Amino acid sequence: MYYEEIAEEDYQYGLNAGFYTGDGRQDLDYDRDFTGLPLGSGMPAPGAPHNMPDMVHDFLLYLYKAVTERNIFEIQNLYESTYAQLTDTYFKSKPWPDENEVTAVVGTRENYDVFIIFYKELYFRHIYAKCQPTIEQRCDSYANYCSLFNLLLNAKEPIAIELPNQWLWDIIDEFIYQFQSFSLFRMKASAGKLSDYEMAQLKDNLKVWNVHSVLNVLHCLVDKSKINEQLREYNSGRDPDLVADEFGKQSLYKMLGYFSLIGLLRLHSLLGDYYQAIKVLENIDIHRQPLQNLSIARVLACQMTTFYYVGFAYMMMRRYADAIRTFCNILVYLQRTRQMYHQYRTFQMDMIEKQTDQMYVLLNICLVLHPQRVDESVSSVLHEKYGDSMNKMQRLDIAEFENAFRYACPKFLSPVAVIFENDQNLAGRLDPWKQQLQVFMDEVHQQKNIIEIRSFLKLYTTISVAKLADFMKMDEKTLKVHLLAYKHKMQNMVWTEEKGKSGLEGEFLSGSDVDFYIDKNMIHVADTKVARRYGDYFLRQIHKFEELYRIISSL
Amino acid sequence: MAEKMRENISAMLKGIDRYNPNNLACLENYVKAQVKENVYDLEANLAVLKLYQFNPNFFQEQIAVYILIKALTNMPNTDFILCKCLIDPSYLETEIIKKITDIHQLLETCQFREFWNEVAKTPELFNDINGFHDSIRKYISYVVNITYQRIERSFLKEILGNLGEAELNRWMSLNGWREDDYDFVFIANQEENIKTKNITEKIDFESVAPVLATYR
């Protein structure tokens, strides 16, 4: 019944009639009488809030209608463009209408209870992004996530809702982000930076944003969607539908399952568990250029997250060759598709730009520790933007390693919900960020002699141990130890295609550009000389000239 | 016993059950069994450290020490780093654990002489660990294998932990090393594996044909 009435309204307003007229008077006309809108008697007009702009009012109704009708295309349009526009116009620094206001506009009707949960997810996400969430809002948002996931997971049959992949990704992404944010908030408590009221609230809500419940949700979504089984079938060239049940076949569950795997990758990394981080992706084959053909290809933020965290975990595990390959894969892809995604995905651009920069910085670190030839388009950006930093690190500027790591690492978390009052020393020591930095810097310290030895070895084809010791101003015994360490550190566990699919497996390979062996007292150096590549360069020039020629001849 | 436990344990680590503190006692026993029987299961050991990370009250230093020492025996793999990332920094500074991370540092930087000296200072720390010394010798042999063609006999003896003649001969035959002349041991022929590589670009006709065809 209500359904029909809304559909009617649709024709009069038209979904693309332009939500933002640009006319300030009309858009900000708060006193406008909503009862004048042709919404029919079914609408709870009398209770409608009087300070809600028309555009927002209409948006809520359209969104409700699109969600109810499972009109993916329309939801996507509302979510990705209208919502962002309205946020920009009306809600730059204040929250979207709350639950009561929305209830007043939409009315409690069919599917409303489902709709409002997803709306509130947006509502809280916006508060986190644009305002400072209060402790109550943090807890309420958590409660809303609980209702959302209970709704999905406790259902006897799949709930009748479809959402665009981008939105589904954002739900998982935001869920972890808010958990992360809450953990940092708790750490503030330990550092004594919260008010008494906030402390009291925090102690009353120890169960809120608990690491177990976050892990539990992600694992349950993975299980419910049978995504691992589906991926295994897909990888061996069979039809994933054969192993998926009614839940797994539905896009909503399937994609939430997939995104939960990526969510787990991120969560494990934030907790310093790099082994699990890589292991959780064992059924996702990220090494074999699946970028273009996976259905997730449209959710750029998901791909960024995947490659960033996989690369980071490899770096921490001292699998530099794998880290370098992972970062290069995504960075080359980003360069090639830059034009495309710049046009239609503006609303997450800041995050994507930042994460791209971070990946360049991480790649830079890996290349200083493990020099290798990489794709030319990537290495030219590295030299242009991060050449200084690279030089400093090569000259063993330890502080520069620390700065680079500080900038590019994720915001690590402490999983423990304990609050240490009035013990700032302890809180500082427990800072999980410091712990991971320490592990990384220990590694850098272990490798700094190697960087220096490499710079000498480059100049020789053979050199005696005694002579090199002389150059390095150390005795032969010490040098021999460093040479052994050089060989040990340059052997990386590297993932190889034949070895099967798990990203954890691999074999020890030396990817070093300057390699050597010792025979008696003589060091025999073998370096890898890569001749300049002309092919790409000429091809690019050919295309360029052809383009020029075309333009000129059309003049 | 450890082998028998392996299957049960692996079932215990599936999905969300991995974080169930009720499994801790069983997992800790499994660590002890690994120590006694010279077997190794990184994944189970990381699960123990994970449970300690989530439930600091359950932390048992002795178990963490066992796990770290077992990780040393699996070098050159980077298991030790994985463990270190999960252990609360306040525990990393306790005397025993600090000592083990220092020892790890020595092994990573191939200061084997210093390593054996440190071990000799507190032998009781490692005596429980079945096969510890030989596991480390295996790692040292691996580093020698990738570095040397011929190595001074005295240096080799020293880094393997001041071996006697008989023991050295045993290790040599185990690794397939042989006597070169009296002062040197022949490790492997490296000339074949480690040589200067020149990578030049090869452009075949197929890859440029489409371009030529377009701009005819």
Side-chain angles (χ1 to χ4, degrees):
Chain A
M1 179 175 74
Y2 296 126
Y3 218 69
E4 309 269 306
E5 280 157 358
I6 299 234
E8 252 177 58
E9 169 217 34
D10 204 351
Y11 290 112
Q12 294 180 31
Y13 278 75
L15 279 175
N16 294 316
F19 277 87
Y20 179 49
T21 58
D23 180 351
R25 260 174 309 143
Q26 192 192 329
D27 283 339
L28 299 170
D29 191 0
Y30 287 169
D31 291 322
R32 189 167 166 156
D33 187 3
F34 282 97
T35 49
L37 285 170
L39 290 172
S41 56
M43 290 311 302
H50 279 260
N51 60 348
M52 186 187 290
D54 286 6
M55 302 294 146
V56 177
H57 184 274
D58 295 350
F59 170 80
L60 293 171
L61 290 170
Y62 291 139
L63 187 65
Y64 166 75
K65 176 167 139 42
V67 168
T68 311
E69 290 177 357
R70 302 166 74 174
N71 183 344
I72 282 277
F73 180 77
E74 201 50 53
I75 301 175
Q76 181 149 355
N77 187 30
L78 289 166
Y79 179 72
E80 286 183 13
S81 57
T82 317
Y83 173 73
Q85 280 165 19
L86 289 175
T87 298
D88 239 23
T89 315
Y90 299 110
F91 306 109
K92 263 209 160 115
S93 54
K94 61 171 189 176
W96 270 74
D98 64 18
E99 184 175 359
N100 293 334
E101 291 174 283
V102 176
T103 311
V105 172
V106 180
T108 45
R109 40 185 165 163
E110 185 195 4
N111 257 334
Y112 178 76
D113 45 342
V114 174
F115 166 79
I116 193 67
I117 290 178
F118 285 96
Y119 171 79
K120 276 165 78 185
E121 198 271 328
L122 273 184
Y123 166 80
F124 285 117
R125 196 183 329 151
H126 173 260
I127 289 179
Y128 269 80
K130 304 280 179 179
C131 323
Q132 206 35 269
T134 63
I135 175 107
E136 285 88 358
Q137 283 165 335
R138 287 172 189 275
C139 296
D140 289 348
S141 178
Y142 175 75
N144 190 55
Y145 276 115
C146 291
S147 336
L148 197 161
F149 293 124
N150 282 335
L151 174 78
L152 293 174
L153 293 167
N154 295 341
K156 293 244 160 38
E157 48 191 73
I159 63 157
I161 265 210
E162 292 291 337
L163 291 179
N165 288 348
Q166 178 72 47
W167 192 340
L168 295 174
W169 163 254
D170 290 339
I171 289 176
I172 299 294
D173 191 53
E174 180 71 13
F175 178 58
I176 296 172
Y177 169 77
Q178 292 192 10
F179 166 64
Q180 189 179 11
S181 170
F182 199 82
S183 301
L184 296 172
F185 188 72
R186 245 185 324 234
M187 268 161 59
K188 262 197 201 162
S190 300
K193 285 182 191 154
L194 293 185
S195 68
D196 290 347
Y197 173 71
E198 284 171 321
M199 288 299 276
Q201 285 287 311
L202 210 51
K203 277 181 205 153
D204 284 349
N205 291 297
L206 277 180
K207 284 255 153 72
V208 169
W209 286 117
N210 172 295
V211 67
H212 288 281
S213 41
V214 175
L215 280 165
N216 197 22
V217 162
L218 297 174
H219 275 287
C220 287
L221 285 170
V222 168
D223 292 346
K224 192 92 178 173
S225 63
K226 297 217 163 113
I227 188 69
N228 275 322
E229 290 83 348
Q230 292 200 55
L231 284 165
R232 267 197 291 271
E233 288 296 294
Y234 176 80
N235 286 336
S236 49
R238 289 188 293 270
D239 181 6
D241 274 358
L242 295 177
V243 291
D245 54 15
E246 47 186 342
F247 287 96
K249 277 181 196 154
Q250 193 187 323
S251 159
L252 178 85
Y253 284 93
K254 183 157 136 186
M255 291 320 288
L256 279 176
Y258 185 93
F259 293 143
S260 295
L261 288 177
I262 309 298
L264 283 168
L265 157 74
R266 176 169 165 208
L267 191 57
H268 287 313
S269 303
L270 294 176
L271 294 167
D273 191 347
Y274 305 113
Y275 181 91
Q276 279 300 312
I278 302 281
K279 190 175 159 76
V280 82
L281 294 195
E282 64 189 346
N283 293 311
I284 299 178
D285 187 358
I286 71 155
H287 298 289
R288 267 185 243 158
Q289 308 197 316
L291 279 171
Q292 283 82 357
N293 47 29
L294 265 188
S295 63
I296 53 146
R298 295 214 51 222
V299 185
L300 186 65
C302 169
Q303 290 179 340
M304 295 286 288
T305 303
T306 310
F307 281 76
Y308 170 79
Y309 283 103
V310 168
F312 187 80
Y314 275 140
M315 183 183 95
M316 292 303 280
M317 294 162 96
R318 203 186 338 118
R319 294 179 63 161
Y320 299 120
D322 286 328
I324 291 168
R325 195 192 48 246
T326 306
F327 289 134
C328 283
N329 259 346
I330 187 83
L331 291 171
V332 169
Y333 173 78
L334 284 171
Q335 283 191 355
R336 297 215 175 119
T337 53
R338 202 179 169 77
Q339 298 285 326
M340 200 170 77
Y341 68 73
H342 251 278
Q343 284 166 3
Y344 67 99
R345 280 207 200 298
T346 46
F347 77 116
Q348 281 176 329
M349 235 31 243
D350 290 350
M351 190 283 264
I352 285 169
E353 296 279 335
K354 164 114 200 239
Q355 211 159 37
T356 309
D357 280 349
Q358 287 181 315
M359 286 200 280
Y360 273 113
V361 170
L362 291 175
L363 178 61
N364 213 11
I365 295 175
C366 291
L367 285 172
V368 170
L369 295 174
H370 199 84
Q372 254 190 13
R373 191 95 185 160
V374 296
D375 188 279
E376 258 176 64
S377 56
V378 171
S379 75
S380 73
V381 176
L382 272 183
H383 278 286
E384 235 169 78
K385 279 180 84 175
Y386 307 97
D388 265 2
S389 164
M390 185 177 250
N391 283 336
K392 276 190 198 160
M393 287 192 277
Q394 276 164 346
R395 273 185 276 114
L396 301 177
D397 183 341
I398 296 296
E400 184 63 24
F401 278 101
E402 197 174 320
N403 289 339
F405 185 85
R406 192 185 290 261
Y407 171 76
C409 71
K411 279 201 180 73
F412 298 106
L413 324 162
S414 161
V416 189
V418 188
I419 298 164
F420 303 94
E421 275 176 275
N422 308 323
D423 190 354
Q424 300 200 9
N425 275 339
L426 188 61
R429 231 179 39 203
L430 288 175
D431 185 345
W433 173 79
K434 278 196 186 133
Q435 181 185 4
Q436 304 299 322
L437 175 71
Q438 192 57 47
V439 171
F440 171 74
M441 291 311 287
D442 284 351
E443 192 60 47
V444 170
H445 279 285
Q446 289 169 14
Q447 299 206 26
K448 60 183 187 211
N449 287 307
I450 294 172
I451 298 175
E452 199 185 355
I453 292 176
R454 181 186 292 114
S455 65
F456 280 110
L457 289 181
K458 258 189 199 166
L459 308 173
Y460 295 87
T461 50
T462 53
I463 180 172
S464 72
V465 175
K467 194 167 164 195
L468 184 58
D470 206 31
F471 286 151
M472 305 229 0
K473 301 187 179 64
M474 54 178 66
D475 61 61
E476 278 184 51
K477 275 201 162 165
T478 317
L479 176 65
K480 272 197 266 184
V481 166
H482 290 328
L483 287 170
L484 286 169
Y486 185 113
K487 291 292 291 193
H488 161 55
K489 293 285 191 187
M490 284 303 120
Q491 294 272 327
N492 273 197
M493 175 76 91
V494 184
W495 181 87
T496 51
E497 210 148 321
E498 309 86 68
K499 265 273 177 177
K501 291 200 180 73
S502 170
L504 283 170
E505 292 171 61
E507 55 189 72
F508 279 101
L509 294 174
S510 165
S512 171
D513 59 341
V514 182
D515 204 356
F516 70 88
Y517 67 88
I518 307 176
D519 187 25
K520 291 188 167 175
N521 289 313
M522 196 55 101
I523 307 168
H524 296 258
V525 183
D527 59 354
T528 305
K529 293 196 183 87
V530 184
R532 223 194 118 79
R533 290 167 52 171
Y534 297 101
D536 267 357
Y537 176 79
F538 280 121
L539 273 182
R540 251 178 287 145
Q541 299 303 320
I542 291 171
H543 290 306
K544 224 188 217 165
F545 282 124
E546 188 58 31
E547 184 69 13
L548 265 177
Y549 179 73
R550 205 176 51 78
I551 292 168
I552 291 168
S553 47
S554 70
L555 284 177
Chain B
M1 180 172 109
E3 284 305 328
K4 262 196 205 153
M5 291 171 85
R6 191 182 283 268
E7 223 165 282
N8 273 340
I9 297 280
S10 129
M12 220 177 252
L13 300 177
K14 289 226 167 74
I16 193 71
D17 216 27
R18 183 184 162 80
Y19 311 101
N20 183 353
N22 295 334
N23 291 337
L24 196 52
C26 185
L27 286 166
E28 285 168 341
N29 279 333
Y30 185 45
V31 173
K32 287 179 197 155
Q34 290 177 52
V35 162
K36 215 184 271 168
E37 298 169 34
N38 195 13
V39 289
Y40 184 58
D41 189 337
L42 171 67
E43 196 164 341
N45 294 354
L46 288 175
V48 174
L49 294 179
K50 191 88 199 167
L51 284 166
Y52 290 158
Q53 188 191 34
F54 284 2
N55 313 280
N57 295 337
F58 295 147
F59 184 81
Q60 283 197 47
E61 188 173 50
Q62 181 60 58
I63 298 290
V65 166
Y66 280 155
I67 290 175
L68 286 171
I69 297 180
K70 286 302 283 182
L72 290 180
T73 64
N74 202 33
M75 286 182 76
N77 288 294
T78 49
D79 301 7
F80 194 92
I81 299 178
L82 292 172
C83 296
K84 211 161 90 173
C85 288
L86 287 179
I87 296 179
D88 193 291
S90 56
Y91 295 128
L92 286 176
E93 281 160 30
T94 62
E95 199 191 328
I96 298 182
I97 295 186
K98 178 87 174 60
K99 182 169 168 94
I100 293 166
T101 50
D102 287 347
I103 281 179
H104 171 246
Q105 179 100 354
L106 292 175
L107 285 175
E108 281 285 351
T109 50
C110 299
Q111 303 183 57
F112 301 128
R113 229 172 311 153
E114 290 77 0
F115 162 78
W116 292 113
N117 287 341
E118 280 303 311
V119 172
K121 275 186 213 159
T122 47
E124 68 283 358
L125 210 51
F126 306 96
N127 282 344
D128 286 356
I129 320 287
N130 183 358
F132 173 75
H133 299 83
D134 275 1
S135 301
I136 300 293
R137 278 191 195 103
K138 250 190 216 155
Y139 160 65
I140 297 174
S141 307
Y142 152 85
V143 180
V144 169
N145 264 325
I146 56 173
T147 311
Y148 276 94
Q149 179 153 303
R150 280 175 291 183
I151 187 172
E152 295 99 319
R153 197 184 173 87
S154 54
F155 182 56
L156 183 62
K157 244 186 197 170
E158 196 183 346
I159 59 178
L160 285 172
N162 287 320
L163 291 186
E165 269 310 306
E167 282 171 283
L168 180 67
N169 286 333
R170 188 173 74 88
W171 268 99
M172 281 171 56
S173 64
L174 216 63
N175 282 292
W177 301 336
R178 56 189 158 77
E179 208 157 308
D180 195 57
D181 46 50
Y182 184 72
D183 290 334
F184 287 91
V185 173
F186 182 86
I187 303 294
N189 188 348
Q190 305 282 8
E191 285 157 49
E192 288 302 309
N193 306 323
I194 302 169
K195 53 188 171 193
T196 299
K197 279 177 279 187
N198 284 310
I199 300 176
T200 48
E201 188 181 24
K202 290 193 184 71
I203 302 172
D204 51 15
F205 182 72
E206 275 75 31
S207 58
V208 285
V211 183
L212 296 175
T214 322
Y215 299 136
R216 227 164 355 140

